[in-house]
Amino acid sequence: MKIKLDHGYMKKIKYITLGFVIIYIIYLVMTNIGDVINGVSDAFSFIVKILSPFLWGLVIAYLLNPIVRYFEKIISKIKINKKWERTHRKQKKAIVRGISLVLTLVSIITILTLLVNSVFVMINGSFRDFKITELIKEITDTFENYSKELGGIEESLNKMGIAANITQFLKELSISIINQIKDIATSITARVTTIGRYIIDISFGFVFAFNFIMNKEYFHNLLENALRLTLNDKRKNSLKEILHEINIVFLSFIRGKIIDLTLLSFVTVISLIIIQFDYAFIVGTFAGYTNIIPYLGTWIGIIPAVIIALVKDGWQEALFVGAYIVIIQQVYYVFVSPKIQGKSIGMHPVFILLAMFVFGKFFGLLGVILSIPMGGIVKIFINRWTKRRQDKKNIVLIDLKK
């Protein structure tokens, strides 16, 4: 005898079972929220590490593309053989783009070479009057003076009968300092390894970028075909609008970043002029623009200033100048930079800082560098959702600009 199943009843059981499964999954996620967040973060970090050269390639291509297009416009106006140009348009386009890309790279390398050469020139000028023996003698005399003072303190403590306790304390302190030095050495090694990995990723990123730029029509058409295969016309056009808005956000971010770094360089130069530091303009400009690299940029930027102060005025002045620049730039980054970056893409400084923390946590250094435009992208989706919700429910919102 064939049993006839009630399909409506079975469908209800299926949905009820699915509901219980979803509730149970939500319960597991909520009770282990910390592990879930760490797992998602680790997964994102792993994916980003694998795709890092590719992502760097996209970033580099995006940054170089406007300059390449500028050179293309100039070179395309040059007429050599009109008949050949009419019959070999693709070849001409490839040649023009290749020359434009080479000119772009030559321009960037020239600017970097001039900047590095300026740094070496000012450091070399400082080294002319520098004598290593005098620096060593100054450091030696300083330690001898400290030793004499410590000797006098030790003699006084012996008379008071508490020298043994102090000696034990100093031994424990020295062990603690040695352990801290080992930890610092390990940390430095890890950072050097990380920097090496970034250099390799960026090097391969340039290879990807060259291919993206030289064949950008191919990749554009590839993306267009993918959209046609997966989306209807309405969704495809909506996605294109979003991509257009994202492009505006990135261009605004680049303009804002250039203004931000230029103003930071100006502030650093003025600060160095106030303390009558030699080569203030070059040192301040270098220290400002190296901040395009978050965290490391500040420390890279103070290297020339510290070296110049060291060879001219001694290690104490070098420490002062290094700390002076770091403090000036950190104050700038807390109070000024978020406002400039926020105005460039229309975000409040609080959300700028929040974006840096969140995307830095998930994507590391690349996330920090791109945190502001990524925050702008999140804002685009929030604004579009808000607009749809507002139109659907006829909601009147408070103007936040007042």
Side-chain angles (χ1 to χ4, degrees):
M1 181 179 174
K2 189 175 179 181
I3 300 173
K4 189 175 181 181
L5 297 175
D6 187 343
H7 292 289
Y9 181 72
M10 295 300 296
K11 191 174 182 180
K12 290 179 181 178
I13 292 176
K14 182 176 69 173
Y15 282 121
I16 292 171
T17 305
L18 181 61
F20 277 115
V21 170
I22 292 172
I23 292 170
Y24 182 67
I25 291 172
I26 293 173
Y27 168 76
L28 290 177
V29 170
M30 294 302 295
T31 53
N32 300 277
I33 190 68
D35 294 335
V36 171
I37 292 174
N38 289 332
V40 172
S41 177
D42 292 341
F44 270 116
S45 299
F46 179 72
I47 293 170
V48 169
K49 281 182 181 179
I50 293 174
L51 298 178
S52 183
F54 179 81
L55 296 175
W56 276 112
L58 289 174
V59 173
I60 294 168
Y62 185 82
L63 294 175
L64 296 184
N65 188 54
I67 307 174
V68 173
R69 288 174 60 188
Y70 172 76
F71 281 119
E72 278 184 352
K73 289 180 181 179
I74 296 175
I75 298 172
S76 297
K77 294 178 181 178
I78 301 172
K79 304 295 182 182
I80 299 175
N81 188 321
K82 292 183 178 180
K83 184 177 179 181
W84 183 87
E85 289 178 2
R86 283 196 301 268
T87 56
H88 299 81
R89 290 181 179 177
K90 287 186 177 180
Q91 290 88 335
K92 181 193 172 184
K93 195 172 187 179
I95 292 170
V96 169
R97 183 164 296 166
I99 295 172
S100 302
L101 184 56
V102 170
L103 288 175
T104 300
L105 293 175
V106 169
S107 302
I108 293 172
I109 292 170
T110 301
I111 293 171
L112 292 176
T113 302
L114 290 173
L115 181 61
V116 173
N117 184 62
S118 300
V119 173
F120 276 110
V121 166
M122 64 186 177
I123 291 175
N124 183 50
S126 301
F127 266 104
R128 289 175 184 172
D129 301 324
F130 175 65
K131 294 180 181 178
I132 188 67
T133 53
E134 292 183 0
L135 177 62
I136 294 173
K137 186 175 182 302
E138 182 184 350
I139 295 173
T140 304
D141 291 343
T142 302
F143 277 107
E144 285 181 357
N145 292 333
Y146 285 148
S147 298
K148 289 178 182 179
E149 292 177 7
L150 289 173
I153 293 172
E154 185 178 2
E155 186 177 346
S156 300
L157 292 173
N158 281 326
K159 291 178 181 179
M160 296 170 63
I162 57 174
N165 294 333
I166 297 297
T167 302
Q168 180 64 27
F169 170 75
L170 291 175
K171 285 181 179 179
E172 293 175 357
L173 181 62
S174 64
I175 293 171
S176 175
I177 292 172
I178 290 171
N179 290 332
Q180 289 182 10
I181 291 172
K182 288 180 180 178
D183 293 339
I184 291 171
T186 303
S187 176
I188 291 173
T189 303
R191 288 182 181 275
V192 169
T193 304
T194 302
I195 292 170
R197 191 184 74 244
Y198 278 120
I199 291 172
I200 294 171
D201 289 346
I202 292 172
S203 300
F204 280 105
F206 272 100
V207 176
F208 277 109
F210 298 157
N211 283 279
F212 291 149
I213 292 173
M214 289 299 298
N215 304 281
K216 60 183 177 183
E217 287 83 9
Y218 167 79
F219 289 106
H220 178 271
N221 294 334
L222 184 67
L223 178 60
E224 178 68 23
N225 287 339
L227 293 177
R228 290 181 180 183
L229 289 169
T230 54
L231 301 174
N232 57 37
D233 288 340
K234 183 179 178 181
R235 292 187 180 277
K236 185 185 72 173
N237 293 332
S238 177
L239 181 58
K240 283 185 174 181
E241 289 177 7
I242 293 172
L243 292 176
H244 176 68
E245 291 179 22
I246 290 173
N247 181 55
I248 293 174
V249 166
F250 271 98
L251 292 176
S252 301
F253 163 71
I254 292 170
R255 285 195 295 267
K257 196 66 176 176
I258 292 172
I259 294 170
D260 186 34
L261 294 176
T262 302
L263 183 57
L264 176 60
S265 299
F266 176 76
V267 169
T268 309
V269 169
I270 296 299
S271 301
L272 291 174
I273 290 174
I274 290 173
I275 62 173
Q276 299 180 342
F277 188 82
D278 292 339
Y279 308 103
F281 178 77
I282 299 176
V283 172
T285 303
F286 179 81
Y289 279 102
T290 52
N291 279 271
I292 194 170
I293 307 171
Y295 304 131
L296 291 176
T298 299
W299 303 103
I300 294 171
I302 67 172
I303 290 174
V306 169
I307 293 175
I308 292 171
L310 179 67
V311 299
K312 289 183 73 70
D313 301 307
W315 62 272
Q316 292 176 326
E317 183 68 18
L319 287 175
F320 166 74
V321 170
Y324 180 73
I325 294 175
V326 169
I327 292 170
I328 291 293
Q329 292 193 346
Q330 294 309 307
V331 170
Y332 175 89
Y333 264 112
V334 171
F335 295 102
V336 181
S337 184
K339 292 183 179 179
I340 295 174
Q341 293 293 329
K343 280 187 177 180
S344 67
I345 60 172
M347 283 181 66
H348 194 280
V350 170
F351 297 116
I352 295 288
L353 295 173
L354 179 63
M356 291 180 67
F357 283 116
V358 172
F359 291 109
K361 169 67 176 174
F362 281 104
F363 303 107
L365 178 61
L366 183 62
V368 175
I369 294 174
L370 299 177
S371 60
I372 296 173
M374 290 169 79
I377 292 171
V378 173
K379 182 189 172 188
I380 288 172
F381 286 103
I382 293 175
N383 285 346
R384 292 177 72 88
W385 175 84
T386 303
K387 184 70 169 60
R388 285 198 304 269
R389 185 78 175 169
Q390 191 177 3
D391 294 340
K392 185 178 180 180
K393 298 291 185 178
N394 197 23
I395 301 172
V396 178
L397 299 178
I398 301 171
D399 187 1
L400 298 178
K401 294 181 181 179
K402 290 183 179 179

